[in-house]
Amino acid sequence: MKRLKTQVRRALRTALLLHGGIAGAALPAPPLMEGAKAVAVGQSMRINGMPTSIHRFAIDKPVDQVLAFYRTRFGKDRVEQSVLGWTVVAEAEGDYFFTVRLRPALQGTEGAVSVADLKQGLAARGRPLGMVFPAGSRLISDVDMDDPGKRGRVVSLINNLPPEANVQHFKNVLAARGFRVDRDLPAGKDAAGGRSLWFSATGRDAILVVAPLPNGTSVVLNTVDRRNTEK
């Protein structure tokens, strides 16, 4: 599972780099403590169909003070827990869900705050995925990112098929959409660590990362469409 999370994080970073700037979305402004310096990671993003904005921030105040701010901001109905060294605070307000994660930095506190539209997320449940997955696959995440004239998507899944079977499946899926293979490289130090394939088509790019897991295979497919048309 650790390898799967690493593959997904790498693919998401690649998606943001390929996709460029992300357009603004009709979501509430993120709740930020006065003095925080924030940078938008995603402002027009859909995670499993749920419109979401994400901002990273840094502030020259200790974690205890920042946490106190969010405890007051979110009130008694908040959810709070520790996850892998981060303190995570979350709360639903009407149609929106706010999540903040915090941890100490060299100078103060670093963190991220996300705002998600619960109403639209619920409306998108069960939406068609627009592509056929290998038999027995389980969807882990489906992230869409929009920019004028450009659309990016990162889909991650796991299944019990061998890595090569997944590679061949998605090569066929992408070939049917007009893609050709540009590069086929080991995803790790050697072929045993999986494969990373780069595809291209007119106005489009795709990256497929397939990696073995202890019990199955992880797959991350990142596509970028610069034709400003529906996929």
Side-chain angles (χ1 to χ4, degrees):
M1 188 57 68
K2 183 177 180 181
R3 179 178 292 174
L4 172 60
K5 291 179 179 178
T6 299
Q7 297 288 353
V8 172
R9 286 197 297 268
R10 288 175 179 172
L12 283 169
R13 286 197 296 267
T14 303
L16 290 169
L17 288 171
L18 284 175
H19 196 252
I22 298 174
L27 289 167
L32 292 166
M33 190 175 183
E34 184 176 355
K37 297 179 180 179
V39 176
V41 177
Q43 290 177 284
S44 185
M45 178 184 294
R46 288 177 297 277
I47 301 176
N48 298 333
M50 187 178 300
T52 304
S53 69
I54 302 174
H55 289 72
R56 291 178 182 167
F57 67 87
I59 186 168
D60 188 17
K61 293 183 182 297
V63 168
D64 288 349
Q65 287 188 26
V66 183
L67 180 56
F69 168 82
Y70 283 106
R71 283 173 172 167
T72 300
R73 169 65 177 77
F74 292 149
K76 65 180 181 179
D77 293 330
R78 70 185 184 276
V79 175
E80 185 176 324
Q81 59 183 324
S82 296
V83 181
L84 299 175
W86 294 89
T87 298
V88 180
V89 187
E91 198 243 346
E93 296 181 4
D95 292 334
Y96 301 102
F97 189 74
F98 297 84
T99 304
V100 178
R101 64 175 188 171
L102 310 166
R103 71 179 178 186
L106 290 177
Q107 295 183 344
T109 300
E110 64 178 352
V113 55
S114 67
V115 184
D117 189 321
L118 294 173
K119 185 176 181 180
Q120 290 194 42
L122 289 172
R125 292 179 68 178
R127 65 177 182 154
L129 291 170
M131 70 177 69
V132 177
F133 290 165
S137 294
R138 179 163 66 92
L139 181 67
I140 301 301
S141 67
D142 183 5
V143 180
D144 286 300
M145 294 165 285
D146 289 338
D147 199 30
K150 193 183 301 184
R151 175 177 291 177
R153 185 181 184 189
V154 183
V155 175
S156 62
L157 58 97
I158 59 175
N159 57 47
N160 292 322
L161 298 176
E164 184 56 37
N166 281 282
V167 169
Q168 192 56 54
H169 175 90
F170 283 100
K171 286 175 83 171
N172 292 338
V173 168
L174 292 170
R177 297 185 174 201
F179 285 90
R180 63 182 179 276
V181 178
D182 291 331
R183 285 184 285 170
D184 185 347
L185 303 171
K189 294 181 179 179
D190 51 46
R195 288 167 62 186
S196 177
L197 291 88
W198 296 66
F199 301 79
S200 63
T202 302
R204 293 169 291 162
D205 298 295
I207 302 173
L208 176 70
V209 179
V210 177
L213 297 172
N215 295 301
T217 300
S218 73
V219 178
V220 178
L221 176 63
N222 170 28
T223 59
V224 176
D225 191 335
R226 297 182 175 82
R227 302 171 304 169
N228 196 26
T229 59
E230 293 293 326
K231 291 182 182 178

